[in-house]
């Protein structure tokens, strides 16, 4: 049998370790950095109100509940409970992380082209902004089911990478890439306005991308 020191319970307690106090803190729904109607006509106010006030709020509430269940399972040394709650933490934690990035990735004053170091990095790693946009659009539209298209930064190689993640899987824990720009293609992000025409939604969202936010995220990790 597996020694107790190698048990799931012991491993999880060690993994939480110094982060235990932070882990126990309750998450809260961040405010939108603009009015719900500010991204119209690209994204309707009705979608934003539901997406932020209902869907994101649900991820936050479920994440807090799942963390409480994990703490209870750890305290009672319930290894099966520790294992069982991991899926809920990943899903709801990812939903909270992803959406917290997404709201700031968008702006009523967005769109156009990035400038400075961000544009230089895009041109270096993709050849041109148009090539980058076409690649990210195609990969994001092509996601099967629900998920996210991402522009990420690979720190070890100092390069930008376009990739996708299914469901609410968070980019950095899943791939090691640092998230810079995310496009949500869950149906709740666009269906009320664009119906089943996901390509139209993805093409339109470029008109509200907050390149200042994306550039700051890149600058902060370089």
């Amino acid at each position: 049998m597996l020694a107790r020191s190698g048990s799931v319970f012991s491993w999880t307690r060690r993994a939480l370790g110094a982060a235990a106090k932070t882990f126990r803190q309750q998450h809260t729904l961040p405010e939108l950095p603009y009015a719900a109607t500010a991204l119209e006509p690209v994204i309707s106010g009705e979608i934003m109100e539901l997406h932020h006030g209902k869907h994101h709020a649900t991820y936050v509430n479920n994440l807090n509940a799942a963390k409480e269940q994990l703490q209870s399972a750890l305290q009672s040394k319930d290894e099966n409970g520790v294992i069982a709650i991991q899926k809920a933490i990943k899903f709801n934690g990812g939903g909270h992380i992803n959406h917290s990035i997404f709201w700031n990735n968008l702006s009523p004053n967005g769109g156009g082209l990035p400038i400075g170091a961000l544009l230089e990095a895009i041109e270096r790693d993709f050849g041109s902004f148009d090539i980058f946009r076409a690649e990210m659009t195609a990969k994001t539209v092509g996601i099967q089911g629900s998920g996210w298209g991402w522009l990420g930064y690979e720190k070890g190689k100092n390069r930008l990478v376009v990739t996708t993640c299914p469901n609410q899987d968070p980019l950095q824990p899943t791939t090691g890439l640092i998230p810079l720009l995310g496009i949500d293609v869950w149906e709740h992000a666009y269906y009320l306005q664009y119906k089943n025409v996901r390509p139209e939604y993805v093409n339109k969202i470029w008109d509200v991308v907050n390149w200042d936010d994306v550039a700051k995220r890149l600058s902060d990790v370089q």
Side-chain angles (χ1 to χ4, degrees):
M1 292 180 63
L2 186 66
R4 190 66 184 172
S5 61
S7 67
V8 172
F9 170 75
S10 298
W11 179 88
T12 306
R13 286 295 294 269
R14 291 197 301 271
L16 291 175
K21 182 177 180 180
T22 300
F23 186 83
R24 286 193 293 269
Q25 293 176 349
Q26 293 285 293
H27 296 279
T28 58
L29 179 67
E31 293 185 5
L32 286 175
Y34 36 74
T37 58
L39 301 181
E40 293 181 343
V42 176
I43 304 176
S44 72
E46 182 182 15
I47 286 177
M48 291 298 296
E49 288 173 356
L50 290 170
H51 196 173
H52 173 262
K54 300 296 185 181
H55 290 278
H56 190 174
T58 298
Y59 296 130
V60 171
N61 293 336
N62 288 345
L63 175 59
N64 287 329
K67 287 171 59 177
E68 289 179 4
Q69 292 175 47
L70 177 58
Q71 287 296 320
S72 177
L74 288 170
Q75 291 171 3
S76 61
K77 299 185 179 181
D78 177 7
E79 296 185 359
N80 290 328
V82 169
I83 293 170
I85 201 61
Q86 299 300 314
K87 185 175 180 180
I89 290 175
K90 179 181 179 181
F91 180 78
N92 293 291
H96 179 41
I97 290 169
N98 294 341
H99 285 89
S100 296
I101 295 169
F102 184 60
W103 309 131
N104 289 289
N105 274 171
L106 306 177
S107 169
N109 300 313
L113 292 172
I115 60 174
L118 174 59
L119 180 59
E120 292 173 4
I122 288 173
E123 293 175 338
R124 178 196 68 208
D125 294 331
F126 297 98
S128 71
F129 176 80
D130 288 341
I131 293 172
F132 152 69
R133 173 172 166 164
E135 179 180 340
M136 187 163 177
T137 297
K139 287 186 175 180
T140 303
V141 169
I143 293 171
Q144 294 184 345
S146 300
W148 290 73
W150 287 102
L151 172 65
Y153 176 63
E154 188 174 7
K155 193 173 182 68
K157 295 185 178 180
N158 186 32
R159 66 171 184 171
L160 303 180
V161 179
V162 167
T163 191
T164 63
C165 288
N167 302 314
Q168 293 295 354
D169 290 4
L171 182 67
Q172 191 164 0
T174 303
T175 68
L177 299 172
I178 299 170
L180 304 178
L181 170 65
I183 300 178
D184 185 354
V185 289
W186 278 68
E187 286 189 344
H188 63 238
Y190 64 89
Y191 199 86
L192 286 177
Q193 186 171 356
Y194 295 93
K195 303 300 187 273
N196 62 327
V197 191
R198 181 187 285 179
E200 183 180 359
Y201 158 72
V202 175
N203 277 299
K204 288 284 190 180
I205 208 168
W206 292 104
D207 293 340
V208 290
V209 170
N210 184 355
W211 292 115
D212 290 341
D213 180 68
V214 180
K216 184 178 185 305
R217 292 177 188 278
L218 178 62
S219 176
D220 287 347
V221 297
Q222 283 185 319

